[in-house]
Amino acid sequence: MTSLLDSLRQYTTVVADTGDFEVMRTLRPTDATTNPSLILKAVQQDAYRPLLAETVQAHRGASTAELADRLLVAFGTRILGIVPGRVSTEVDARLSFDTRATIERARGLIALYEAAGVARERVLIKIASTWEGIQAARVLQSEGVRCNLTLLFSLPQAVACADAGVQLISPFVGRIYDWHKKSAGASWDEAARAGANDPGVQSVAGIYRYFKHFGIETEVMGASFRNSGQILALAGCDLLTISPELLKELAGTEGTVTAALAAEGGEVARIDADEVSFRTQLNEDAMASEKLAEGIRAFVADGRKLDALIEAQRG
């Protein structure tokens, strides 16, 4: 009998949202995504602590920022020895509102990958979907550096990314679900807001429909899932990046998946992608504004913790 995971692969490219090599070897995703939180979690495990030590030992004269990037690339390079597709590596979230610094940091990451013998086509540079981050991605894409715009919670963010010609966007599902559930409080009806009625699923489905309606080539990768029902409700999305726990659940469950997303359905109105429209629409969306800011703060905090581990290793 086919597992839900294998059935899902018929409609969607499966991506592992982890820094754990063994999960990738076992569950065979096509691509892999990482972020500061995932790398921080990995390097605190016995299996991956030597990678931190090796990186610091080999580049003792480097700054903490350079060592952090070298560590990210060390993880990414090893991941690419396991998955057949691409790996996403994130620019320091502390640069989320600095276009120029984001561009320079991304160029540095690509240079490190190429020095390690990895073609840039196999790397996606992850950048937060702020206005400044999107404009950095516009420049990087023009240089042949493919970008994955993350911390994306709204259609205006997605449209601005498409206007910048980014390779891929990662609209979040679970964090949108979290916000609406918390906002609803005691009135939240879990059963009524499940599957296609989940607010996070609806957001990604709307972005997917908008992109397909207007022939936008930017790939849509649903991310940040809280349960397998959200994943199955987005079967047919270009890609889905899934945590090890949910990958294992899908792999261990027999069943058949059917495509859930439709490229057409209802009126689709084009929205503007200029800076004023972007900032105005994002500001009017309390959920997207709050979750974007919260996400950046969380990644910054984990970036600082990773810096501390690097400094401690340096001794």
Side-chain angles (χ1 to χ4, degrees), residues 72-88:
L72 295 179
V73 171
F75 265 92
T77 301
R78 284 162 176 75
I79 287 169
L80 289 174
I82 302 169
V83 303
R86 304 167 295 187
V87 68
S88 291

Side-chain angles (χ1 to χ4, degrees), residues 44-56:
Q44 294 180 85
Q45 299 176 33
D46 290 342
Y48 302 110
R49 197 171 288 116
L51 195 52
L52 171 61
E54 291 167 14
T55 301
V56 172

Side-chain angles (χ1 to χ4, degrees), residues 40-239:
L40 176 67
K41 180 180 178 181
V43 296
Q44 294 180 85
Q45 299 176 33
D46 290 342
Y48 302 110
R49 197 171 288 116
L51 195 52
L52 171 61
E54 291 167 14
T55 301
V56 172
Q57 182 64 35
H59 305 281
R60 282 206 166 270
S63 67
T64 301
E66 182 183 339
L67 286 170
D69 282 354
R70 286 188 176 277
L71 181 62
L72 295 179
V73 171
F75 265 92
T77 301
R78 284 162 176 75
I79 287 169
L80 289 174
I82 302 169
V83 303
R86 304 167 295 187
V87 68
S88 291
T89 297
E90 193 146 348
V91 170
D92 192 327
R94 285 167 281 194
L95 306 178
S96 295
F97 302 102
D98 189 331
T99 297
R100 177 50 52 188
T102 295
I103 292 169
E104 293 303 324
R105 199 69 170 266
R107 287 170 177 163
L109 287 168
I110 289 294
L112 289 174
Y113 271 113
E114 291 185 330
V118 175
R120 63 177 56 193
E121 290 76 17
R122 297 197 69 195
V123 179
L124 292 170
I125 297 296
K126 284 181 78 175
I127 300 169
S129 298
T130 59
W131 179 258
E132 294 80 4
I134 294 168
Q135 300 320 303
R138 184 188 299 275
V139 173
L140 292 165
Q141 287 282 161
S142 73
E143 298 174 352
V145 177
R146 299 177 181 183
C147 297
N148 169 358
L149 272 291
T150 187
L151 293 175
L152 195 150
F153 302 96
S154 67
L155 182 58
Q157 287 176 289
V159 172
C161 290
D163 184 70
V166 306
Q167 180 71 31
L168 180 148
I169 59 170
S170 296
F172 281 30
V173 176
R175 297 192 196 190
I176 295 176
Y177 162 88
D178 293 343
W179 189 93
H180 283 279
K181 183 175 182 178
K182 181 179 180 181
S183 179
S187 67
W188 177 261
D189 185 334
E190 187 68 33
R193 301 307 300 272
N197 294 323
D198 183 298
V201 169
Q202 290 176 334
S203 179
V204 177
I207 291 168
Y208 176 87
R209 187 163 54 250
Y210 185 100
F211 278 25
K212 300 312 175 187
H213 180 83
F214 290 110
I216 295 168
E217 295 183 359
T218 296
E219 300 169 61
V220 179
M221 179 170 72
S224 169
F225 294 103
R226 297 292 178 261
N227 56 66
S228 58
Q230 292 173 335
I231 295 167
L232 299 179
L234 288 172
C237 195
D238 299 331
L239 307 94

